[in-house]
Amino acid sequence: MGVTDPAGPVMDRDEVDRALARLGAEHEAIETSLLALQDHAGRRLLEGAELTGVTRERWAAAEASITLLWAYFDAYTAALRSARDIRARRRWSSREDLAELTELLRGESVTVPDGAGGGGHTGRLSEGFSLTALVDRMNELYASSLDLVVTADAVWSALPARIDLLAAELQRTRKLAHSVGVRPGEHPAGDDLERITRTLTGLREQVVSDPLAFWVPAEGSSAPGGGRPDTTVYDREARALEDVRREIDAVLTVRQDAETRLIRLRDLLSRADRTLAEARTARGEVLAKIAATEVPVVSGPPTALQEQLATAAEHRRHARWHRLSPLLESLEQKAEDELLRARESLTAVTAPLAVRAELRGRLDAYRAKVARHGLAEDPLLVERYDAARRMLWSAPCDLRVAEQAVLRYQQAAAEQLGTPGVPPQGGPEDRRSESS
């Protein structure tokens, strides 16, 4: 009839098997990608968010594309299954089987409803695709859908958290401004703080509901999610807040002496608290790593000092300078004492770890000395070194037993080297008491 067969020449068995293997691998890759898209955090967020603007429009189209993707994938799966069934009929496929397989694998054998419920109708009831063309179409839909999901997720992962951090800093700045008399309607910086607050609140709402409006695509990039979040508004407000902070610093300079001393007090108490926290953490480490030793209990920070510090801040806010001065003098001495107490507590708690480190250093120093004299492989020295090392590098470590093991190694080393015996040494507890 003069009509060219769109499938081309009939494939032989080897060509069929290679095509089925390739299409099977593509099927697995497409399925993996679709399932990953289905489970993508950005997709779940898009489904649950109350979207507006461009994001709402593009997500509606993307949802239709994803629905169409699954319809295409189901049709692709069915066609591949049919081809595999035909190939599995007999080991050596007949001419009729090969012709049918050629049509399935190369011809426009996959028929799907036009749009498959995903929009984009062409006026036809259905469309026919070859498996290769269907794969290309699915790749196009997948890339566009993934680009939207990745882009929205990137904006949501970056901007809201940064806005929240800036908002938290804004709140701290507002409190500080209020404490020094910088208030809306009374000082320009107070008015700026109100404006920044309104802008950040609106910005966060917009970013959450319409993330795609805050995306700058990368020029020349076709990769999904190529680009960066648009931080123009955020950066502007961050600079404005920094300007307000500088203005407040200028106000603080007027009362510099009292405020500087209060800041130093807060820093001292904060360092003391951190040191005590470090001591509590170290105590747990010592209890886990060191056996048969007494570890002092670490007390918590004194709340009385924090309460007095709050009272001092209240005096300064209300310009009660005559009450603030003596209170600051008393607090400064108490804060110094508190930091010293915290450091002494940390030193006491970590003493067993220091003893263990000293024993490790002594053991390795003697081993190096033995090695220099060519006795590193002496069986007795190797046995005693290994025994001491196991004790010192195991948890929990018994310091008394470990020190005796180190001492035995030193004595054996001294005997082998022909040097005077190692003088007896006190245990870890004795050494700590001597150092104190």
Side-chain angles (χ1 to χ4, degrees):
M1 297 178 61
V3 178
T4 303
D5 184 357
V10 175
M11 303 166 69
D12 60 29
R13 283 184 295 271
D14 289 339
E15 289 176 322
V16 167
D17 289 341
R18 286 195 298 271
L20 285 174
R22 176 178 55 80
L23 292 169
E26 288 178 344
H27 177 274
E28 183 176 346
I30 292 170
E31 183 178 33
T32 299
S33 297
L34 287 177
L35 291 175
L37 178 61
Q38 192 78 9
D39 293 335
H40 198 288
R43 183 181 186 275
R44 292 197 297 269
L45 288 172
L46 283 164
E47 286 183 329
E50 295 185 5
L51 303 175
T52 61
V54 64
T55 305
R56 181 177 180 178
E57 296 173 6
R58 287 189 57 189
W59 175 236
E63 281 190 304
S65 294
I66 293 171
T67 301
L68 185 58
L69 258 175
W70 281 105
Y72 282 168
F73 179 72
D74 290 342
Y76 181 87
T77 302
L80 183 59
R81 186 185 304 114
S82 297
R84 285 171 170 169
D85 290 344
I86 294 171
R87 181 64 184 90
R89 287 175 185 169
R90 51 184 66 86
R91 181 177 180 182
W92 304 102
S93 299
S94 66
R95 178 71 180 178
E96 291 76 11
D97 289 344
L98 291 175
E100 189 175 357
L101 285 167
T102 299
E103 177 62 25
L104 269 175
L105 298 177
R106 288 183 174 173
E108 294 184 352
S109 58
V110 185
T111 302
V112 295
D114 181 37
H121 298 282
T122 62
R124 295 173 296 184
L125 295 177
S126 61
E127 286 186 273
F129 291 92
S130 67
L131 288 175
T132 300
L134 191 58
V135 168
D136 292 340
R137 179 61 178 145
M138 283 191 288
N139 284 335
E140 292 174 5
L141 291 173
Y142 174 76
S144 63
S145 301
L146 181 63
D147 178 71
L148 185 145
V149 169
V150 170
T151 297
D153 188 49
V155 174
W156 278 332
S157 298
L159 270 178
R162 294 175 67 180
I163 293 170
D164 289 344
L165 287 174
L166 188 61
E169 180 63 25
L170 173 63
Q171 286 300 106
R172 289 191 291 270
T173 303
R174 290 182 66 179
K175 290 179 181 178
L176 181 59
H178 189 272
S179 70
V180 296
V182 176
R183 299 180 176 86
E186 300 178 9
H187 195 286
D191 297 332
D192 289 340
L193 286 175
E194 289 298 300
R195 185 196 58 76
I196 295 171
T197 300
R198 291 193 300 270
T199 302
L200 286 183
T201 301
L203 178 62
R204 195 186 193 288
E205 292 174 354
Q206 294 169 20
V207 167
V208 169
S209 66
D210 191 9
L212 299 186
F214 296 87
W215 185 254
V216 180
E219 294 184 8
S221 174
S222 59
R228 60 176 177 80
D230 183 0
T231 61
T232 303
V233 178
Y234 167 86
D235 293 337
R236 185 189 68 211
E237 298 309 312
R239 290 191 297 269
L241 181 57
E242 181 62 30
D243 291 340
V244 172
R245 277 199 294 261
R246 282 196 292 267
E247 182 68 22
I248 293 173
D249 287 341
V251 176
L252 288 170
T253 303
V254 178
R255 295 137 180 179
Q256 184 175 5
D257 182 62
E259 183 59 12
T260 300
R261 293 169 70 183
L262 279 172
I263 290 173
R264 182 175 178 275
L265 274 172
R266 293 189 188 99
D267 180 63
L268 282 173
L269 293 178
S270 177
R271 285 157 57 193
D273 289 351
R274 290 196 301 270
T275 304
L276 287 175
E278 184 180 352
R280 285 191 289 272
T281 301
R283 185 174 188 273
E285 181 182 357
V286 170
L287 290 174
K289 294 182 177 180
I290 307 297
T293 188
E294 292 293 331
V295 185
V297 176
V298 180
S299 63
T303 57
L305 290 183
Q306 292 291 349
E307 293 172 355
Q308 292 176 28
L309 182 61
T311 301
E314 188 72 13
H315 288 337
R316 192 202 62 79
R317 277 195 296 272
H318 293 88
R320 293 194 289 259
W321 311 115
H322 62 291
R323 296 185 182 181
L324 179 60
S325 181
L327 180 56
L328 280 178
E329 291 177 2
S330 172
L331 272 175
E332 285 165 347
Q333 183 58 53
K334 291 177 181 177
E336 293 280 2
D337 293 342
E338 176 61 16
L339 180 57
L340 178 62
R341 183 183 70 84
R343 288 171 173 169
E344 289 173 348
S345 180
L346 177 60
T347 300
V349 164
T350 56
L353 294 177
V355 172
R356 185 185 64 175
E358 187 272 332
L359 289 174
R360 287 177 174 180
R362 196 198 318 168
L363 178 66
D364 286 342
Y366 264 81
R367 185 169 185 266
K369 183 177 181 181
V370 166
R372 287 196 301 271
H373 288 79
L375 298 173
E377 303 301 323
D378 182 85
L380 177 61
L381 293 179
V382 170
E383 176 187 353
R384 293 193 176 182
Y385 174 83
D386 288 344
R389 194 179 193 285
R390 279 195 302 272
M391 294 178 187
L392 285 171
W393 268 267
S394 62
C397 170
D398 190 321
L399 290 178
R400 295 180 179 85
V401 175
E403 178 159 28
Q404 290 304 314
V406 173
L407 187 58
R408 286 194 295 272
Y409 178 75
Q410 291 179 248
Q411 290 169 341
E415 292 171 3
Q416 293 292 341
L417 295 171
T419 57
V422 178
Q425 302 184 32
E429 296 296 330
D430 298 331
R431 196 159 47 253
R432 285 201 299 273
S433 63
E434 291 172 2
S435 64
S436 61

